[in-house]
Amino acid sequence: MPQCLFCSIISREVNATIVYEDDRVVAFNDINPQAPTHVLVVPRRHIATLNDLTEEDDQIVGEVVRRAALIAKSKSVSASGFRTVFNTNREAGQTVFHIHLHLLGGRTLHWPPG
Ligand code: AMP
Ligand code: ZN
């Protein structure tokens, strides 16, 4: 998927500040942070949206979520609180079509979101 920005970050063709990586998951700082901690956690495998998930993806989605919680802990926002968000498609504001879990923390986050 050469035209996918996040595949290009994963393959190191595009620079990003990578905060974690293993065989299946990569996490990097959002280029336009909306909170003091704003990390994107992505599967290495290209999956365009949550609408494209199959049963085979249950494991990787679990790993992405658990990794976000571990990164929150490493950034010391676990106890104070953090938000995790997958945006899906246009009305939810998805702009990069490779699933990514936003991890936001380090400030008070309001609810409901805009
Ligand atoms: P979404 O709108 O949910 O699809 O989120 C896409 C996110 O990717 C936005 O928060 C952008 O700020 C972020 N983003 C776009 N380009 C880059 C990049 N080159 N490196 C890191 N984050 C990026
Ligand atoms: Zn991709």
Side-chain angles (χ1 to χ4, degrees):
M1 192 65 62
Q3 68 274 51
C4 170
L5 174 62
F6 289 173
C7 283
S8 298
I9 287 175
I10 290 162
S11 64
R12 306 292 182 111
E13 292 158 65
V14 169
N15 282 331
T17 303
I18 292 177
V19 299
Y20 176 83
E21 65 179 324
D22 64 26
D23 289 352
R24 296 167 307 280
V25 173
V26 178
F28 50 90
N29 286 335
D30 196 293
I31 204 168
N32 182 23
Q34 301 301 308
T37 294
H38 189 171
V39 173
L40 302 174
V41 188
V42 308
R44 280 192 190 273
R45 181 150 47 90
H46 181 89
I47 303 167
T49 81
L50 293 196
N51 292 332
D52 301 297
L53 291 175
T54 69
E55 208 175 320
E56 281 181 10
D57 300 315
D58 286 358
Q59 166 110 16
I60 188 65
V61 172
E63 287 186 38
V64 164
V65 173
R66 193 170 68 83
R67 184 54 53 189
L70 289 170
I71 294 168
K73 190 171 185 190
S74 75
K75 300 271 185 189
S76 302
V77 298
S78 294
S80 51
F82 61 91
R83 184 168 295 165
T84 43
V85 178
F86 285 107
N87 293 322
T88 299
N89 279 345
R90 181 177 48 85
E91 286 198 1
Q94 186 176 8
T95 58
V96 179
F97 287 81
H98 179 134
I99 64 169
H100 48 281
L101 184 56
H102 292 260
L103 162 62
L104 297 143
R107 68 170 173 86
T108 298
L109 300 163
H110 301 286
W111 192 264

